[in-house]
Amino acid sequence: QEMKFTSFLLLAVGAVTNAKSPASRSPLSVMDCGGAELCGVLTLETGFGPGVYGHHGPSVHGLWPQVAPYGNSGCAAPQDKTAPKVVYPCYYNGHNDTQLTFEEHEWGKHGVCAGLKDVDTFFDQICNLSQHPLALMSQAGVNLANMQQAVENAGYEVFFVDHTDQQLQLSTCYDPAAKAWVLVPVAQFSEKCGGPGPPTTPTPAKHPTPASGECLPNQRGPPCGSDSDCTNIKGCIRCAHSGFCTSTPLENAEYA
């Protein structure tokens, strides 16, 4: 059955590249996989964010293994790296061309480290994982806080709250026995997802933090919690939703 959640429309394709909440960790923290080989977050948009993050109703953004510098997850390559050729149900919003481009980005940046067989398996699991949380968020409506409360009341752990783009990130890990990603709290990663997983390879951070306190093109700047933390730093113009200063204007911002 086709899901009816609206996914956001990419307005432009640029270079592919948070404030605290009571239930989220520090913006500068990283995810610890514990005994799991692969762990990450399922990122869901509320629709209340700025620009492309503003749309009618909640939608799925993506499944992001928390490899360095975001966490200590391994990176397990798929058996087949072929890019997506169709728009999957939970990404469909009536704009197939732009949504396919968005899927290509999600697959190329995150899917290739998710340890799943191929692109169909990756997006099928994203749609399955996100269906119930998105339904809860849609019913809660009103604002980010209400949606967060709704998913937490249902037993999902919100690992991080992105107040800038109004997104929720739910804790998830790869269960090698089921060969599937599951939504479980970080404290249960070892129990639910322990054991030998798919072969992993170390991956260098794509956006190394510069040693000096400045923003350079295509690199992360110093850590930040708000735009005011970045305005007096050389080359920096704002605090990105990743929690680091950036030299990229908001209208050209990269999708995480």
Side-chain angles (χ1 to χ4, degrees), residues 7 13 20-21 69 85 87 116 128 134 139 169 210 233 243 245:
S7 183
V13 181
K20 289 186 180 179
S21 101
K85 300 185 183 304
V87 176
L116 299 173
N128 288 336
L134 285 175
Q139 292 167 7
Q169 295 184 354
I233 299 177
C245 295

Side-chain angles (χ1 to χ4, degrees), residues 84-204:
K85 300 185 183 304
V86 299
V87 176
Y88 295 88
C90 57
Y91 283 91
Y92 178 75
N93 70 351
H95 302 275
N96 283 8
D97 291 342
T98 52
Q99 288 304 93
L100 183 58
T101 300
F102 180 47
E103 287 181 348
E104 290 170 350
H105 161 68
E106 290 295 304
W107 171 248
K109 186 172 183 181
H110 306 291
V112 294
C113 278
L116 299 173
K117 182 177 67 172
D118 53 27
V119 68
D120 287 340
T121 307
F122 178 66
F123 284 106
D124 284 347
Q125 291 202 16
I126 289 177
C127 290
N128 288 336
L129 280 177
S130 63
Q131 185 170 9
H132 186 229
L134 285 175
L136 295 170
M137 291 167 65
S138 182
Q139 292 167 7
V142 185
N143 54 40
L144 174 66
N146 278 29
M147 291 187 178
Q148 178 184 350
Q149 191 64 55
V151 297
E152 289 177 336
N153 287 346
Y156 299 108
E157 179 180 78
V158 177
F159 177 77
F160 189 87
V161 179
D162 174 7
H163 288 273
T164 301
D165 294 322
Q166 299 284 289
Q167 300 184 110
L168 298 177
Q169 295 184 354
L170 309 187
S171 304
T172 181
C173 59
Y174 177 81
D175 178 358
K179 295 184 178 181
W181 286 79
V182 292
L183 293 172
V184 296
V186 171
Q188 297 179 21
F189 280 177
S190 296
E191 175 188 353
K192 301 294 186 181
C193 298
T200 61
T201 55
T203 54

Side-chain angles (χ1 to χ4, degrees), residues 57-80:
S59 63
V60 63
H61 190 148
L63 172 63
W64 305 346
Q66 295 294 276
V67 298
Y70 309 105
N72 60 2
S73 176
C75 177
Q79 297 175 25
D80 182 351

Side-chain angles (χ1 to χ4, degrees), residues 208 210-212 214-222 234-236 245-248:
S212 58
E214 64 178 318
C215 289
L216 300 173
N218 300 317
Q219 293 189 15
R220 292 190 180 281
K234 181 181 177 181
C236 305
C245 295
T246 180
S247 60
T248 304

